[in-house]
Amino acid sequence: MLLLELFWMFLIIGFVSFGGGYAMLPMIEREVLIKGWLSVEEFSNVVAIAGMSPGPIATNSAIFVGYKVGGIAGAVAAGVGMVVPSLLLVLLIASFFFKVHHNKFVQAAFYGLRPIITGLIGYAAIRFAMNNHLLGGVNWDSISLFLIFAISLFALIKFKIHPLFVIVISGIVGVFIYG
């Protein structure tokens, strides 16, 4: 029953979510918290690990949640549930898109979707920051976390440092500060 529930939940999320993995995170978080499968802190850890792992963050998150809740079988059920909608929708859309992609209504619809996708990604980032005490009260933890964030963002934007290098350095800094 649990495996079917994992599969079904991620299948539904996969079908109704648009905007990529980061835009799916708020829906995944909501469902996981409602079901009591993970705490907010555990979900934040899942997102952090999923973001550092190769592959799409939503699929990685689904697999981590599935593993936490149902072991290897849960990971497979959640992963398949998350991937099947994308596979089917991409095949369906690709077959029609090349026939209608020059249509002004199709172009207008895609133009209209851009702001909401950006908003969903921003919302996921803000929720992640709030859950990890980057936003909220001012104390040593929030200041040090914000400094790691700000320096990392600066390194990525200004110096175009490879994200993997920034992730590794941030992890090492975290070990020195909190270890």
Side-chain angles (χ1 to χ4, degrees), residues 64-115:
F64 281 117
V65 168
Y67 183 77
K68 171 79 169 140
V69 174
I72 300 281
V76 170
V80 170
M82 184 60 86
V83 169
V84 165
S86 297
L87 176 65
L88 295 176
L89 288 173
V90 165
L91 290 174
L92 181 67
I93 291 170
S95 67
F96 293 109
F97 182 71
F98 288 107
K99 296 177 184 174
V100 298
H101 74 282
H102 289 297
N103 182 297
K104 70 178 182 174
F105 295 112
V106 172
Q107 290 178 347
F110 278 111
Y111 186 77
L113 287 173
R114 290 177 187 158

Side-chain angles (χ1 to χ4, degrees), residues 7-176:
F7 173 79
W8 187 250
M9 182 185 85
F10 285 108
L11 184 78
I12 297 299
I13 289 172
F15 269 122
V16 300
S17 298
F18 294 93
Y22 288 100
M24 292 176 162
L25 290 178
M27 290 183 68
I28 296 171
E29 178 185 30
R30 180 179 180 276
E31 293 299 317
V32 167
L33 294 178
I34 286 173
K35 294 181 185 318
W37 288 343
L38 299 175
S39 68
V40 172
E41 183 178 342
E42 288 173 319
F43 185 75
S44 291
N45 291 338
V46 163
V47 171
I49 294 168
M52 292 186 302
S53 302
I57 193 167
T59 304
N60 291 347
S61 296
I63 291 168
F64 281 117
V65 168
Y67 183 77
K68 171 79 169 140
V69 174
I72 300 281
V76 170
V80 170
M82 184 60 86
V83 169
V84 165
S86 297
L87 176 65
L88 295 176
L89 288 173
V90 165
L91 290 174
L92 181 67
I93 291 170
S95 67
F96 293 109
F97 182 71
F98 288 107
K99 296 177 184 174
V100 298
H101 74 282
H102 289 297
N103 182 297
K104 70 178 182 174
F105 295 112
V106 172
Q107 290 178 347
F110 278 111
Y111 186 77
L113 287 173
R114 290 177 187 158
I116 187 60
I117 300 309
T118 304
L120 286 170
I121 293 168
Y123 174 75
I126 290 168
R127 290 279 305 167
F128 189 75
M130 290 171 62
N131 292 341
N132 287 287
H133 312 293
L134 282 169
L135 298 175
V138 177
N139 56 36
W140 167 246
D141 283 347
S142 64
I143 291 170
S144 61
L145 290 172
F146 183 78
L147 284 173
I148 292 171
F149 160 76
I151 293 167
S152 298
L153 185 61
F154 182 75
L156 289 166
I157 293 171
K158 177 70 173 168
F159 300 113
K160 310 265 190 270
I161 295 176
H162 194 282
L164 181 60
F165 183 71
V166 174
I167 289 169
V168 170
I169 295 300
S170 297
I172 291 169
V173 170
V175 168
F176 281 115

